[in-house]
Amino acid sequence: MRAWLNLARRRDVVMRAVRVALVVGTLLIMINYADRAIANNLTGVDLIKMAITYLVPYGVSTYSAVGALRAQ
C-alpha cells in the first residue's frame, strides 16, 4: 500500500490527474448542471455534487497511472 501511495503522490501522476479531472469534470458538470446554472437554480447540494464530480476522474486517472507505472 505504501508503494502505491508513493507512486500516486508523484508530481507527474498528480499533474496528469489534475488536468484530466479539470477537463472531464468540467464536461460532466456541463452535461449534468448546465440547465440549472443557466436558470440560476443551483442549490447548495448541487454545488457540493459539482465539487465531488472532479474527484471521480482524478481518482480514475491516478489509479490508471499507478497501475501503468507498476506494470513497467
Side-chain angles (χ1 to χ4, degrees):
M1 183 61 139
R2 175 171 272 171
W4 194 95
L5 289 173
N6 286 338
L7 289 171
R9 290 190 305 238
R10 279 181 35 173
R11 181 172 171 75
D12 58 333
V13 172
V14 171
M15 293 308 296
R16 176 182 289 260
V18 166
R19 285 192 301 270
V20 169
L22 287 173
V23 172
V24 175
T26 300
L27 288 172
L28 289 171
I29 287 170
M30 288 171 48
I31 290 167
N32 292 315
Y33 295 98
D35 57 335
R36 292 184 191 176
I38 291 169
N40 198 23
N41 194 22
L42 291 171
T43 66
V45 173
D46 289 333
L47 296 176
I48 291 169
K49 288 179 180 179
M50 290 166 75
I52 292 171
T53 298
Y54 287 103
L55 296 178
V56 174
Y58 182 89
V60 171
S61 178
T62 300
Y63 181 81
S64 297
V66 170
L69 288 170
R70 291 181 76 177
Q72 289 181 341

